Amino acid sequence: MKKIKSEWFLIETDQEYENALARYQEIKYALHNSNEHKEKMLLAHLIADYEQKTSDLPEVDPIELIKIRMEDFGYKSVDLANEYGDKGTVSKVLNYKQALSLTMVRKFSKLLHIPADALIAEYELR
């Protein structure tokens, strides 16, 4: 596995952003508590920070935004369930059967690097 960069700093250019994304893809399945896992978490933060500064969030409802960020970070619904603690509720939320709770907003905002105010927007249940 080729390491692109051994030290990370704030991402300031598109090239640094591309390098960070490439490295993240290389280590996104790193074992928990490993150095690569720590690097992955740092990269997720740096990437999200750069994206927040350089792009607007898409005009989508909170659930679609969650799904987009899950794909960005390679997460599955089980990862959200592990963060929240209830697989059934997460499934209902992702399928528009139940609204996001305040606890979910807080946890998913942190996990997916989505501003909490983007997750509290109104949307219709189906």
Side-chain angles (χ1 to χ4, degrees):
M1 183 181 304
K2 180 184 166 221
K3 200 170 192 182
I4 294 175
K5 197 171 184 179
S6 62
E7 293 182 10
W8 293 100
F9 301 96
L10 289 177
I11 298 172
E12 298 176 336
T13 67
D14 287 343
Q15 184 58 54
E16 291 173 344
Y17 174 71
E18 293 300 322
N19 290 345
L21 286 175
R23 178 63 180 154
Y24 182 88
Q25 288 301 316
E26 289 179 1
I27 61 173
K28 71 180 178 181
Y29 298 112
L31 296 175
H32 194 67
N33 292 330
S34 67
N35 285 337
E36 276 109 10
H37 177 74
K38 291 176 186 176
E39 181 181 6
K40 175 185 82 169
M41 299 310 291
L42 173 63
L43 284 170
H45 177 73
L46 293 174
I47 290 166
D49 181 62
Y50 183 78
E51 289 173 347
Q52 184 177 5
K53 290 177 185 174
T54 59
S55 62
D56 294 325
L57 292 174
E59 293 292 326
V60 296
D61 68 60
I63 302 307
E64 285 304 312
L65 188 55
I66 288 171
K67 290 177 180 179
I68 290 167
R69 293 305 282 177
M70 285 172 63
E71 186 175 322
D72 289 347
F73 290 114
Y75 291 144
K76 305 285 184 214
S77 59
V78 69
D79 298 309
L80 270 61
N82 289 339
E83 183 69 22
Y84 179 67
D86 183 4
K87 184 169 62 171
T89 301
V90 169
S91 177
K92 288 177 188 175
V93 167
L94 293 177
N95 288 301
Y96 293 89
K97 304 293 183 200
Q98 182 174 329
L100 284 162
S101 68
L102 182 57
T103 302
M104 285 180 156
V105 167
R106 288 178 180 144
K107 290 183 181 225
F108 296 166
S109 173
K110 183 177 177 185
L111 176 69
L112 300 170
H113 303 282
I114 301 171
D117 56 334
L119 294 177
I120 61 171
E122 289 187 41
Y123 62 96
E124 286 190 36
L125 298 179
R126 298 178 186 158

